[in-house]
Amino acid sequence: MTLRDHDIERAVRELAPRPDREPDWEAMVDSIMSEVDGVAAAPVVPLFRRPAVLAAVLAAAAVAIVALSPRRSTLELPAVVGLSQAPPELPRPAEVESLDAGELAALDTLLAAEITSALAAGGAIDWIADAPDPAWADALASVDSLSERELARLASSLD
Amino acid sequence: MALALAKLATLRANDAKVSATLPAELTDAELAERARAGDRTAFEAIVRRYQKPLFRAALRYVRRDADAADVCQRAFVRAFKSLESLQKTRSLRSWLYRIAINLSLNHIRDRRDDAPLDLDALPATSAPVGTDRLIAGEQRRALVAAIAELPPKQRAVLELRIYDELPFREVAEIVGSSENAAKVNYHHAVKRLRAILGKEAAS
């Protein structure tokens, strides 16, 4: 039997995972909106409105925090896109150096939340792609090894 | 107490007013714009529009209904918090998918110690008995295993195309690649599955 793309697609479609039980969609909306209302009602303290400024300050502060607290483990710097590229010679912000342990911990938590949010806004896939996962490396290599002409040919055959 | 009730009534009246003026045919971009401006009803409309596809996308990764619901909820809350960063030129749908898939992958990564996928426990196919199913039995199990073992990007591209029927342009946005690279990943995934199915059929 010769299998065409259409056959494969149909076979895969047959395997679409189904929930054991259809969720209560209305309850899910209520739950989401309830949490969203909580977020909206929480006081917002804008750290920095310009993303570039925020990224630079985050990088500098995170590097300083790690330098100040070698045993700190809540921030996994190598896993955070952008921060891993921060130049090592970044100066330590004086205000960070002057913080006590409690303030540092609070700043740490704040930074982790900001970084998580920044990743969610678009950096996370890059972070995953950069992760030392052989499967990702294989997938990327298989694409990268193709010439532009091969890419174009394959792309047009799938249009 | 009376004051609180009065405030609640005002809020509800405002919601109702906004809802009444919120056309059902608003585009994603219009909804996102309104939600960014603080229109709660617009964000709720986004949730209603995308909760099912995001739930199903999450379910493909995390496998358990409760976990998929949790990922779905966290994806929307995260999207709400990050609305400001959504570029106007970017597709709301692909942005939401990207958040949900990232959270699903994080979820899997955090639970690596969980039991591996039990292929024998997979639910029966959704196709009714008696229809001309293309695959069955061992072939089916082999295909499920093959999909699970695809490189993450190939798997994501394949599933987003076949299950969610998204155009390659949006698939590319979600997985963070060029459109051509998404097409090539799709090609590789189908080729790999074809080889597995062909081998099973021959044996």
Side-chain angles (χ1 to χ4, degrees), chain A residues 3 5 7-23 25-26 28-29 31-33 35-37 39-40 116-117 120-122 124-125 127-128 135-136 139-140 142-143 146 151 154-155 158-159, chain B residues 40 43-44 47-48 51-52 55-56 59-60 65 73 76-78 80-82 85 98-99 102 105-106 109 125-126 132-135 140 143-144 151-153 162-163 174-175 180 183-187 190 193-194 197:
Chain A
L3 292 168
D5 284 3
D7 297 322
I8 303 293
E9 287 165 4
R10 198 180 135 207
V12 173
R13 198 169 284 120
E14 280 184 12
L15 297 173
R18 300 276 189 275
D20 296 331
R21 192 171 47 193
E22 195 70 5
W25 300 114
E26 275 305 313
M28 193 186 282
V29 171
S31 176
I32 291 167
M33 292 312 294
E35 193 171 344
V36 161
D37 288 342
V39 170
T116 304
S117 172
I125 281 278
W127 160 61
I128 290 165
W136 276 105
L140 295 173
S142 68
V143 172
L146 296 171
L151 273 174
L154 283 170
L158 292 165
D159 278 334
Chain B
R40 180 189 187 278
F43 191 77
E44 184 174 332
V47 172
R48 289 184 184 283
Q51 64 172 337
K52 291 182 184 178
F55 172 83
R56 295 204 168 101
L59 185 63
R60 294 200 292 268
D65 292 5
Q73 169 142 353
F76 279 115
V77 172
R78 187 164 288 190
F80 180 78
K81 287 178 180 171
S82 310
S85 68
R98 184 164 163 146
I99 293 173
N102 279 337
L105 292 171
N106 289 346
R109 189 193 57 196
T125 179
S126 56
D132 58 340
R133 261 192 253 156
L134 183 70
I135 53 168
R140 175 182 169 74
L143 188 58
V144 171
K153 193 171 274 190
I162 294 183
Y163 295 144
I174 295 168
V175 301
N180 274 354
K183 288 177 178 177
V184 171
N185 268 307
Y186 182 80
H187 168 80
V190 169
L193 297 183
R194 183 190 288 115
L197 276 181

Side-chain angles (χ1 to χ4, degrees), chain B residues 13-150:
Chain B
N14 286 342
D15 267 1
K17 200 192 304 181
V18 173
S19 181
T21 58
L22 193 66
E25 68 275 12
L26 277 181
T27 64
D28 280 2
E30 289 165 336
L31 283 177
E33 191 56 42
R34 289 190 183 210
R36 238 196 308 259
D39 182 343
R40 180 189 187 278
T41 317
F43 191 77
E44 184 174 332
I46 291 172
V47 172
R48 289 184 184 283
R49 188 172 288 181
Y50 286 112
Q51 64 172 337
K52 291 182 184 178
L54 290 199
F55 172 83
R56 295 204 168 101
L59 185 63
R60 294 200 292 268
Y61 289 88
V62 300
R63 302 199 306 266
R64 298 185 186 121
D65 292 5
D67 290 348
D70 179 52
V71 165
C72 188
Q73 169 142 353
R74 285 194 288 132
F76 279 115
V77 172
R78 187 164 288 190
F80 180 78
K81 287 178 180 171
S82 310
L83 266 175
E84 286 291 331
S85 68
L86 172 61
Q87 295 159 7
K88 287 182 181 173
T89 53
R90 185 151 183 211
S91 152
L92 171 70
R93 178 167 66 176
S94 62
W95 184 67
L96 291 171
Y97 265 94
R98 184 164 163 146
I99 293 173
I101 290 175
N102 279 337
L103 287 174
S104 299
L105 292 171
N106 289 346
H107 180 94
I108 294 169
R109 189 193 57 196
D110 294 343
R111 285 169 172 68
R112 279 219 169 123
D113 294 337
D114 276 8
L117 179 62
D118 180 0
L119 297 180
D120 292 327
L122 283 168
T125 179
S126 56
V129 174
T131 58
D132 58 340
R133 261 192 253 156
L134 183 70
I135 53 168
E138 286 307 309
Q139 214 177 14
R140 175 182 169 74
R141 288 191 177 83
L143 188 58
V144 171
I147 293 171
E149 285 170 15
L150 283 174

Side-chain angles (χ1 to χ4, degrees), chain A residues 92-158:
Chain A
R92 294 179 186 178
E95 61 271 32
V96 172
E97 285 185 336
S98 65
L99 298 177
D100 64 27
E103 289 169 324
L104 269 178
L107 181 58
D108 191 349
T109 307
L110 182 64
L111 283 171
E114 289 291 342
I115 290 165
T116 304
S117 172
L119 287 174
I125 281 278
D126 296 332
W127 160 61
I128 290 165
D130 291 340
D133 181 335
W136 276 105
D138 283 348
L140 295 173
S142 68
V143 172
D144 292 343
S145 65
L146 296 171
S147 67
E148 277 301 314
R149 183 185 292 180
E150 286 171 318
L151 273 174
R153 184 175 55 76
L154 283 170
S156 65
S157 72
L158 292 165

